Amino acid sequence: MTGLTLRTAPTRPGSRVLAFGDHQPAKIVTNHDLAAVMDTSDEWIRSRVGIIERRIAEDDETIVDMAVQAGGKALAASGLGPSDIDLVIVATCSAESPMPSQAPTVAHRLGIEAPGAYDVNSACSGFCYALAAADAAVRVGSARNVLVIGAEKMSQWIDWTDRSTAIIFADGAGAAVVGPSDTPGIGPVVWGSDGSQPERIQIENRKAYISQEGQAVFRWATTAVAPTALKAIEAAGLVPDDLAAIVPHQANLRIVDLIARRIKASNAVVADDVTLSGNTSGASIPLALAHMIERGDVPSGAPALLVGFGAGLSYAAQVIQIP
């Protein structure tokens, strides 16, 4: 399964992911911790969402702090230095304030001078959207190397008395460095949205907490997402059995398992990072993949399917080669 070439536009150079990096807060909140302050239990949480524990940032740990940590790890692993990066994209939907964006500050703290820098808010699809933008920027020559980071502090938007959300969401960051490649290592993105259902997952206003209609989101994710994933596999010139890994957004374990089952990739390892990390929205895909690479679950050069889906309702999928 290693060394497969992904299909791309024939007259343009390709891009590839050079390295991943991750960061999670030190504070661990277990299901037993939550059961001590709300009407829930470890057994109930595991049976509903498959989560055992999650990481929660301290009050003074910001999205920028976590993004800098994950981005610095990815940059070091890529073998590049700050001067080699000329575009920084941060995917986040949980910013402390709407302005300024996180990316310029992250770049400054990493020593990256005067890059293009912007945020992407596509919620749990954000990393896939940002990765597609990075791929396009490298292929058309707008950037040499791009740092893409998914970073979220969902805990600051949670009502900690609401078990429908407090048991699910968590904090963290994952990052990737994207650079040029003679053979493409990032396949075409397949994406879309359904703007008729914004109320399914939302923060209604700046004084509100995150809310979601759990059953409706479950039905949508387990029926609408797999066809998009299959289109992305086909667009990359592959079939499901070519995949070494499937990395869906870590919404909850039941959704992850059902999506993977419908893709029917018999040789693929399926990410289950949600069990120990919780749902970190736009950070969940790079965080999960960084952990899989660190454990040796997937070999270098093998194809992995990334599938993001969430608020908007938005969705995106692409195949990449593991760095």
Side-chain angles (χ1 to χ4, degrees), residues 4-8 187-188 230-239 242 319:
L4 290 169
T5 299
L6 308 184
R7 186 181 301 150
T8 189
L230 291 170
K231 289 177 183 177
I233 298 167
E234 182 181 5
L238 306 178
V239 297
D242 291 326
V319 177

Side-chain angles (χ1 to χ4, degrees), residues 79-100:
L80 301 179
S83 62
D84 296 310
I85 303 296
D86 46 18
L87 176 60
V88 177
I89 309 172
V90 174
T92 187
C93 66
S94 56
E96 291 88 352
S97 65
M99 185 173 62

